[in-house]
Amino acid sequence: MAGWQAPATASPVFSPSDWNAALEKVIHADVTQSVTLPNGDVLWVFGDTTRINGVPTTGPYGYPHDAFARQTAGTLTFKALPGPYGYGWQQVPNWSDNTYFWMSTPIVDSGTLYVLGERIQGVSPFTVVGSYVAVFNASTLAFQRIVPVPTGATGKTKWGGVARTATGWWITGTHGVPCSYGTNCSVGDMAFVPFGGLATTTQWGVHNNVIPATTNIGTTMALRRTPAGWDIFTKRGGAYGGTEIERLTANSVTGAWTVNGTWPAPSPADTVTYDVAVHPEQVANTGQILTSYNVNGNDTEYHPRFLYLSL
């Protein structure tokens, strides 16, 4: 029949074990987040990277600290993308003082890819020097520049999650505080940035101390808009604070946030879990969202774990 076309086939819902195996074959890294590119593919960004395609990326002085992988939309086909810096895989050059960029949150705004992260001194132990945004062409992924961004009232805010609104972006951040009732206690901050303003410091509107330390949030908070308000998913207490992911809910993004559900975040012996991210661009069953958290402890276990969380 003239003009006939086969019906479109819906993308399958892959199991968590399928996700784990597919990404593990391509890259061992942490600080895992993802974003849809202008052509429909999905870009995955990572921090410290120890293996690509099964081969160690380490050299005599370290390893790449920020890496990309491209996913063909609707599949489990991943391809690690070579970079012009850091052992052939790093996407952002180190500074002249040997500090380096540790990627966190990718955002595509019009034709530009922005990646939030931290400037880091040292490896183990390391020190966070400041928060920055790296700027890329969203189509070619060519690196353009890197600039500092606001870091809240304490100067220590680490930005980690993002949600789009009609006029711009809400971004979650945390900074550590002393406390007597937990481990690695953090307080949550929020920032609103209008479209086109992510690389302009004066465009950032920061709201300090929005989420109290009593909620036991981790270093990274994954943010999403819901019909009733807002959700945050985070690893309780950070890397050394337990083995659970928790959800916080609020009617308004700037307060009042309360804990509303937990899920186990298991890992092998002698490893720690941290840095929860949500991946709403991926197909999931109704009422669920694909979520990842990072595992660290040795090279074999150095890659994200996936699960579906109920909304």
Side-chain angles (χ1 to χ4, degrees):
M1 180 185 300
W4 181 88
Q5 292 181 337
T9 301
S11 299
V13 177
F14 301 108
S15 70
S17 60
D18 289 338
W19 278 102
N20 295 340
L23 205 55
E24 180 184 1
K25 287 191 299 184
V26 175
I27 190 166
H28 282 210
D30 66 359
V31 197
T32 309
Q33 294 202 43
S34 58
V35 69
T36 302
L37 294 171
N39 72 346
D41 284 353
V42 178
L43 182 72
W44 293 71
V45 307
F46 304 90
D48 291 343
T49 303
T50 62
R51 284 181 181 263
I52 289 181
N53 301 323
V55 178
T57 58
T58 53
Y61 303 107
Y63 42 76
H65 297 292
D66 46 79
F68 285 164
R70 184 190 292 266
Q71 174 199 5
T72 302
T75 75
L76 287 179
T77 300
F78 292 91
K79 180 181 179 181
L81 302 182
Y85 314 103
Y87 314 102
W89 299 105
Q90 189 166 300
Q91 301 295 327
V92 178
N94 292 349
W95 281 270
S96 59
D97 62 357
N98 290 323
T99 55
Y100 56 88
F101 185 58
W102 199 7
M103 285 185 174
S104 178
T105 309
I107 304 168
V108 172
D109 188 340
S110 187
T112 302
L113 167 68
Y114 301 89
V115 185
L116 298 171
E118 284 80 50
R119 183 175 179 175
I120 304 294
Q121 176 73 61
V123 177
S124 183
F126 65 86
T127 302
V128 177
V129 178
S131 291
Y132 282 71
V133 61
V135 184
F136 301 80
N137 182 295
S139 296
T140 67
L141 301 182
F143 172 72
Q144 297 176 343
R145 66 190 190 278
I146 187 166
V147 297
V149 296
T151 50
T154 66
K156 301 292 186 180
T157 303
K158 302 174 186 177
W159 304 110
V162 63
R164 182 188 178 106
T165 72
T167 57
W169 312 94
W170 278 107
I171 301 170
T172 64
T174 64
H175 65 269
V177 294
C179 65
S180 59
Y181 48 81
T183 303
N184 294 342
C185 295
S186 295
V187 167
D189 301 323
M190 292 285 180
F192 181 78
V193 186
F195 294 133
L198 286 163
T200 305
T201 298
T202 56
Q203 293 291 297
W204 284 62
V206 178
H207 301 255
N208 297 296
N209 304 320
V210 171
I211 301 175
T214 51
T215 57
N216 202 21
I217 57 176
T219 303
T220 302
M221 300 186 295
L223 180 68
R224 65 179 295 271
R225 186 74 180 267
T226 73
W230 298 85
D231 278 350
I232 281 175
F233 296 97
T234 184
K235 169 65 183 8
R236 301 193 77 183
Y240 300 98
T243 57
E244 288 185 322
I245 294 170
E246 67 178 6
R247 176 174 60 195
L248 283 68
T249 58
N251 293 327
S252 166
V253 73
T254 56
W257 288 90
T258 57
V259 177
N260 185 12
T262 61
W263 295 263
S267 66
D270 301 320
T271 64
V272 295
T273 58
Y274 55 100
D275 283 352
V276 172
V278 294
H279 308 282
E281 77 283 349
Q282 305 295 337
V283 177
N285 289 320
T286 301
Q288 294 186 328
I289 190 169
L290 182 69
T291 308
S292 65
Y293 62 93
N294 289 293
V295 173
N296 193 352
N298 56 63
D299 178 59
T300 301
E301 302 297 342
Y302 201 62
H303 56 90
R305 298 295 195 278
F306 291 88
L307 70 162
Y308 291 97
L309 298 186
S310 300
L311 301 176

